[in-house]
Amino acid sequence: MELSDIDIMLAVGRSGKISQAAKELNYAQSNVTTRIKKLEEEYQVQLFNRSSKGVIPTEKGTQFLAYAARIRGLLHDLQQEMIDPEEPSGTLKIGIVETAASRRFMEILNEYQMTYPDVSISLVNATSPKVLRHKIQSSELDGAFISGACVKEGLKVEYEMQDTVHIISKRTDTLLESFCQLSWVVFPQGCPYRELTEKFLAEEELSAKKLIEVSTMENLLNCVESGIAVTIMPCSVVHNKPEAYTLHNLSDVFTPTTTTFVRGENRYVSSALKQFMRLLHEKCITF
């Protein structure tokens, strides 16, 4: 096995398609297929189940991918430790869920950039914590802000923020009397607040058919502000224009929420990431 086989396996595992992995790695598709078959012959196991729709890892393939991710992570850490200077520089790759991308967070980023101008910041937005967890574990991100109960094995929590969840509507002085007449705007599947909305609707014995799915916080808030729909989100998402919305309380069961900043456990912490986490603690950032 060669180190390049690790990258091939990880690319195929990510995309589920040999053609997509070949394009990503700039390899011929036949080369990727041959390398996988060679690995299967070397270890006397089948690593992927093939179909017309793509490939799915077998049990042994899943084990191989887990080891491959660890090997790639260690190689990434080795490279970073060898080249990492004492003064922060290079690229800091941070993931963030849409609900955490607040003005306060941007102020922290601005201060960090002014303090450490040699660091190039790369922000990756997502609505699904699962996507960000995967990117941390595959060394695509140095760390990420993730909402909900999402801390898994292999992740280390470096900072934690508390918030409350509410039904958010356009500005109104009256109570929301009839939930059954409302449409609800949500993020795609995988978002913890979508799951919370669906749970709430089930608890109230309401239909979940009136869901409007959007992919950005801007579109979600536009739907709410215009009165097209209401949403269930942390109260911090309306920080830029609080006068345009009304927050309606939920039961205590649904109210608390947590956003955490996590990184890969037992992974090398670059000087750029170390100073970013220090700034988070110093500024006591809240969303």
Side-chain angles (χ1 to χ4, degrees):
M1 182 179 70
E2 301 176 11
L3 284 177
S4 56
D5 293 331
I6 295 292
D7 294 326
I8 288 174
M9 284 293 296
L10 289 173
V12 173
R14 279 194 301 272
S15 65
K17 294 182 180 295
I18 289 177
S19 58
Q20 183 62 36
K23 183 178 179 181
E24 177 185 330
L25 298 170
N26 199 27
Y27 286 172
Q29 184 172 332
S30 58
N31 187 18
V32 173
T33 301
T34 300
R35 298 282 285 274
I36 292 175
K37 287 182 177 178
K38 184 179 177 182
L39 284 173
E40 292 178 324
E41 291 171 1
E42 181 178 346
Y43 292 108
Q44 294 296 297
V45 294
Q46 184 175 339
L47 296 172
F48 291 101
N49 289 318
R50 283 89 167 168
S51 74
S52 58
K53 295 183 179 180
V55 296
I56 299 174
T58 62
E59 182 178 352
K60 287 295 183 182
T62 300
Q63 292 174 352
F64 190 105
L65 288 171
Y67 276 104
R70 287 163 60 185
I71 292 169
R72 173 48 62 197
L74 286 171
L75 289 172
H76 176 268
D77 288 350
L78 173 62
Q79 181 184 34
Q80 291 300 307
E81 189 157 5
M82 293 299 100
I83 65 174
D84 189 32
E86 291 185 10
E87 184 66 19
S89 63
T91 301
L92 180 64
K93 295 170 288 185
I94 299 295
I96 186 165
V97 288
E98 283 279 343
T99 52
S102 68
R103 180 177 60 189
R104 180 67 178 134
F105 171 71
M106 294 306 170
E107 289 172 356
I108 293 286
L109 276 189
N110 183 55
E111 181 170 342
Y112 180 89
Q113 191 73 88
M114 292 180 65
T115 306
Y116 304 106
D118 292 333
V119 178
S120 175
I121 299 175
S122 174
L123 279 183
V124 176
N125 283 54
T127 58
S128 169
K130 183 178 180 180
V131 171
L132 295 178
R133 287 200 302 267
H134 173 76
K135 288 183 177 293
I136 293 174
Q137 291 163 342
S138 61
S139 301
E140 295 177 61
L141 293 174
D142 296 303
F145 291 95
I146 302 180
S147 296
C150 62
V151 179
K152 304 291 185 181
E153 183 179 354
L155 296 179
K156 179 176 175 57
V157 176
E158 290 289 355
Y159 196 79
E160 186 172 284
M161 297 145 284
Q162 300 297 322
D163 205 342
T164 55
V165 177
H166 301 265
I167 297 175
I168 303 176
S169 72
K170 70 174 184 179
R171 170 59 65 183
T172 175
D173 295 325
T174 61
L175 295 175
L176 294 177
E177 296 181 355
S178 179
F179 290 124
C180 62
Q181 301 299 320
L182 302 176
S183 293
W184 301 79
V185 58
V186 295
F187 284 137
Q189 291 288 353
C191 171
Y193 300 108
R194 179 182 182 138
E195 296 172 7
L196 189 61
T197 301
E198 292 174 344
K199 181 180 178 182
F200 172 77
L201 294 177
E203 293 270 336
E204 297 291 325
E205 298 183 351
L206 298 172
S207 170
K209 292 182 179 179
K210 292 186 177 181
L211 293 183
I212 302 173
E213 185 176 295
V214 298
S215 57
T216 68
M217 182 59 69
E218 181 181 7
N219 287 339
L220 182 142
L221 291 178
N222 284 340
C223 285
V224 175
E225 187 177 351
S226 66
I228 293 174
V230 296
T231 192
I232 293 180
M233 283 282 159
C235 63
S236 56
V237 303
V238 301
H239 63 276
N240 281 334
K241 200 176 179 183
E243 70 281 357
Y245 309 95
T246 296
L247 306 184
H248 308 269
N249 291 333
L250 287 164
S251 67
D252 292 340
V253 176
F254 296 104
T255 296
T257 186
T258 302
T259 298
T260 53
F261 182 76
V262 298
R263 64 174 179 83
E265 191 174 26
N266 300 321
R267 297 293 304 278
Y268 176 70
V269 180
S270 68
S271 56
L273 178 58
K274 189 178 298 181
Q275 294 305 319
F276 179 78
M277 294 188 299
R278 178 190 61 78
L279 194 59
L280 282 182
H281 284 278
E282 283 186 1
K283 298 301 177 180
C284 298
I285 183 171
T286 57
F287 298 127

